[in-house]
Amino acid sequence: PILTMGAATDPDDKLASTEGRPMPGVELRVVAVDGAVVGPGVEGELRAKAPQRMLGYLDSSLDAEAFDSDGWFRTGDLGVIDDDGYVTITGRLKDVIIRNGENISAKEVEDILFTHDAIADVAVVGLADDLTGERACAAISLVEGAAAPSLEALAAFLTDAGLRRNAIPEQLVVVDAVPRNPSGKITKNALQDDLRDIPFSRA
């Protein structure tokens, strides 16, 4: 159910760039990856309490993953709540890659790669890695007739675009098509299954 909404009295910039503020009766808080509740302007998972929130699953074994120990529903959305209470969605928690203990936003990398002239579609996923815990792998499909960039060229492109060095993918795979479901959403679980057996070695 709807948790936030814009109002006709909201400033234009808030209507254009946020999800609005919590509706009456809705409580939202932001929780960092380490479980700490964070304040305004800090990104984390949005968790909710609300009259319209479900009580739980018919299969109660699923509740432990859906709710935290204080009864807040884990939305799985990454977001920020500003000083005025406006909510901005920044990504999905499952799209955070944890490499060497550092968080990498797959969406942040994807948004830059979408601007590359040779790339038609892209998905960045985390793959299990014995050395780093996870590694970031960029799966790209190419614009018709375009040559595939090398990993080094891609890293240079991302660096020039301002991406911090520790977020640059260490693996690049060219695919015929990035898998999507009928609604157009990338099926990252299926992509991870396809990619995990591809040989990988560090230079």
Side-chain angles (χ1 to χ4, degrees):
I2 296 171
L3 295 173
T4 64
M5 183 174 288
T9 54
D10 287 341
D12 287 345
D13 63 320
K14 299 296 186 182
L15 289 171
S17 62
T18 77
E19 306 299 325
R21 288 185 283 193
M23 295 175 63
V26 174
E27 298 177 75
L28 289 179
R29 70 181 184 182
V30 181
V31 180
V33 174
D34 63 4
V37 178
V38 297
V42 181
E43 184 186 63
E45 183 188 21
L46 294 168
R47 298 187 183 179
K49 286 186 176 181
Q52 67 267 43
R53 190 205 70 192
M54 70 175 183
L55 297 177
Y57 286 100
L58 289 174
D59 179 356
S60 59
S61 67
L62 301 174
D63 289 346
E65 185 175 347
F67 300 92
D68 66 21
S69 58
D70 295 324
W72 292 77
F73 178 69
R74 305 172 191 262
T75 67
D77 288 320
L78 288 174
V80 175
I81 301 177
D82 68 17
D83 288 319
D84 298 317
Y86 290 91
V87 177
T88 301
I89 303 294
T90 57
R92 288 288 292 169
L93 183 62
K94 67 181 180 181
D95 286 340
V96 172
I97 300 163
I98 303 176
R99 181 174 66 196
N100 287 326
E102 294 184 284
N103 297 336
I104 299 168
S105 167
K107 183 179 183 299
E108 180 183 14
V109 183
E110 290 166 350
D111 285 349
I112 298 174
L113 291 179
F114 270 119
T115 68
H116 193 290
D117 290 341
I119 295 176
D121 202 2
V122 59
V124 176
V125 297
L127 300 177
D129 190 283
D130 291 338
L131 181 63
T132 60
E134 282 189 300
R135 66 178 179 273
C137 178
I140 65 170
S141 64
L142 299 174
V143 172
E144 187 174 354
S150 66
L151 181 61
E152 292 74 17
L154 209 65
F157 177 81
L158 291 167
T159 300
D160 289 345
L163 186 69
R164 65 191 190 283
R165 184 172 182 177
N166 62 356
I168 292 174
E170 58 261 68
Q171 186 174 4
L172 171 65
V173 177
V174 177
V175 296
D176 292 333
V178 174
R180 293 179 179 270
N181 64 20
S183 67
K185 184 177 180 181
I186 296 172
T187 52
K188 291 201 170 182
N189 289 342
L191 182 59
Q192 286 169 316
D193 289 341
D194 292 340
L195 297 177
R196 73 170 40 100
D197 293 329
I198 292 177
F200 170 77
S201 62
R202 289 182 168 80

